[in-house]
Amino acid sequence: PKPSIRLNNYFFLSSQQTVKIVFFTETFLPKVDGIVTRLTKTIQHLIKNGDEVLLFCPEGGPSNYMGAKVIGVPAMPLPLYPELKLALPRPAVSEALEKFNPDLIHVVNPAVLGLGGIWLAKTNGIPLIASYHTHLPKYLEHYGMGMLEPLLWEMLKAAHNQAELNLCTSTAMVSELSEKGIQHTALWQRGVDTEAFNPDLRNNEMRRRLLGEHDDQGALLIYVGRLSAEKQIERIKPVLDAIPQSRLALVGDGPYREQLERIFENTATTFVGYLSGEELSSAYASGDAFLFPSSTETLGLVLLEAMAAGCPVVGANRGGIPDIITDGKNGCLYEPDANDNDSQSLINSTKRLLGNDFERQAMRKAAREEAECWGWASATNQLREYYKEVLKNTVKVAA
């Protein structure tokens, strides 16, 4: 009966322009990161378009989000990264999936729960889309397991090649996954909330909070994101040493915080912790420059958020970041060296951004203009077109 179900669903999609989607994700609320932001914004706009959404994720989050039903699956913390949880699929997952009767399944960063989603899609004849958000093979070297990178690529290839379509969030990742043998890759465009993140939220009270106990006499550099080894945040310390009276605010938390507190001891650094909502938007807008040293990013959503807030950015000329930053126009790119202790390029790029106030104001304006090109509504509309194309091709096969 499955081909006829798929066929009926396709005709329903053609006439009513709605889709029933099941997401399998290894991370969701209450965790805060770029993947969760993309998922929540995508769900919001899918529901707004009249689509039906069911989401499976590790337990601990809400049971409903913006009209989408959320089913938490019992999970265990990942030993190297306790913030991430590994959830094993259970019979209740299959029962809920059958009851929902989706048009397609979308697995996000398949690891454990996502592999269950792949298996359920294949065994039930449901069209499958996968998306790649975290550059796990490049993370391994930061946890002393670089020798496992080839094996991980083989595992990722085996999982992703089960999908009819593999979405990546930057052109660099589309190319790299294709080179590694992952098939049917396409670009899922970036998005940012330009209403929530905007330059008007810059204010002195938040600036004082970011400065902590330090006076406001030099440039206020900010970083927003997880405090974890693969983010290479320690590369910012030589920048503080090289730029007199510069201050640093680290917004976020994570497993690497204690090490970073030791690394940045006796520097003008404030560990702010997690911020959200308008406080986070204000933090972006109140900084003089946003530094993002990570060279392992598939996109770098926080860069777009900073740009939307009118904060000029410095990022690595690696991965998905060059898709966002046009060097010298809306920010500055630096060349990450293999040696984490050598941050000369990051120092030079930061000095270049801060050195001329007129040029920095021009970059601030250009950064905002770039962000305004990338709304979540258009990103979700693009995703829905991918969904419709996959369903259309599935119907052709079934027929």
Side-chain angles (χ1 to χ4, degrees), residues 34-261:
I35 301 171
V36 175
T37 297
R38 180 177 281 266
L39 265 175
T40 53
K41 295 299 183 182
T42 298
I43 290 170
Q44 177 184 342
H45 286 281
L46 288 172
I47 296 294
K48 186 177 179 180
N49 283 323
D51 300 317
E52 295 180 57
V53 176
L54 172 64
L55 183 139
F56 294 103
C57 63
E59 63 184 355
S63 60
N64 186 286
Y65 182 78
M66 301 293 292
K69 185 176 181 181
V70 179
I71 297 180
V73 181
M76 299 176 9
L78 185 68
L80 285 173
Y81 205 143
E83 285 187 329
L84 291 178
K85 296 180 179 179
L86 300 180
L88 294 171
R90 303 195 172 200
V93 172
S94 180
E95 293 168 7
L97 182 76
E98 184 176 351
K99 182 178 179 182
F100 186 70
N101 187 27
D103 294 311
L104 59 84
I105 288 175
H106 182 160
V107 294
V108 178
N109 264 4
V112 179
L113 184 59
L115 294 181
I118 292 172
W119 184 82
L120 286 167
K122 291 301 174 182
T123 55
N124 289 281
I126 302 171
L128 175 66
I129 287 179
S131 52
Y132 186 87
H133 303 261
T134 304
H135 210 10
L136 288 175
K138 293 301 179 186
Y139 280 20
L140 289 175
E141 61 187 77
H142 298 285
Y143 291 93
M145 297 186 293
M147 75 290 294
L148 296 177
E149 183 176 335
L151 175 62
L152 183 54
W153 273 119
E154 288 303 312
M155 294 171 64
L156 288 171
K157 184 167 68 172
H160 278 272
N161 280 345
Q162 302 299 312
E164 281 84 358
L165 181 65
N166 285 293
L167 299 177
C168 309
T169 55
S170 68
T171 55
M173 289 300 102
V174 170
S175 297
E176 184 165 356
L177 265 62
S178 297
E179 290 168 2
K180 295 295 184 180
I182 293 176
Q183 302 169 354
H184 311 303
T185 55
L187 179 66
W188 182 5
Q189 73 183 46
R190 53 194 178 272
V192 66
D193 188 339
T194 52
E195 293 182 9
F197 300 102
N198 70 82
D200 294 339
L201 291 172
R202 185 180 180 94
N203 67 73
N204 291 330
E205 182 180 346
M206 175 54 72
R207 190 174 175 93
R208 284 193 296 270
R209 183 173 173 184
L210 297 174
L211 287 164
E213 62 184 19
H214 309 290
D215 57 40
D216 192 1
Q217 293 188 6
L220 173 56
L221 313 176
I222 64 171
Y223 165 89
V224 176
R226 293 196 310 275
L227 305 186
S228 50
E230 73 276 3
K231 297 299 184 181
Q232 300 161 290
I233 301 166
E234 64 276 2
R235 287 187 168 185
I236 301 177
K237 185 175 183 294
V239 177
L240 294 177
D241 296 336
I243 301 177
Q245 296 186 311
S246 58
R247 280 79 173 96
L248 174 65
L250 298 178
V251 178
D253 213 331
Y256 204 51
R257 176 166 178 161
E258 287 187 14
Q259 291 95 319
L260 289 172
E261 287 175 343

Side-chain angles (χ1 to χ4, degrees), residues 199 202 285 287-289 307 309-312 328-331 352-369:
R202 185 180 180 94
D288 297 317
M307 292 166 71
C311 186
K329 180 181 178 182
N330 57 24
R352 181 157 57 101
L353 187 147
L354 294 172
N356 183 306
D357 188 60
F358 176 79
E359 290 181 1
R360 184 161 59 90
Q361 293 305 321
M363 283 189 195
R364 184 186 292 273
K365 183 174 182 291
R368 172 66 189 183
E369 290 173 350

Side-chain angles (χ1 to χ4, degrees), residues 272-288:
V272 181
Y274 279 121
L275 295 178
S276 61
E278 189 169 308
E279 285 189 328
L280 176 59
S281 304
S282 179
Y284 281 120
S286 300
D288 297 317

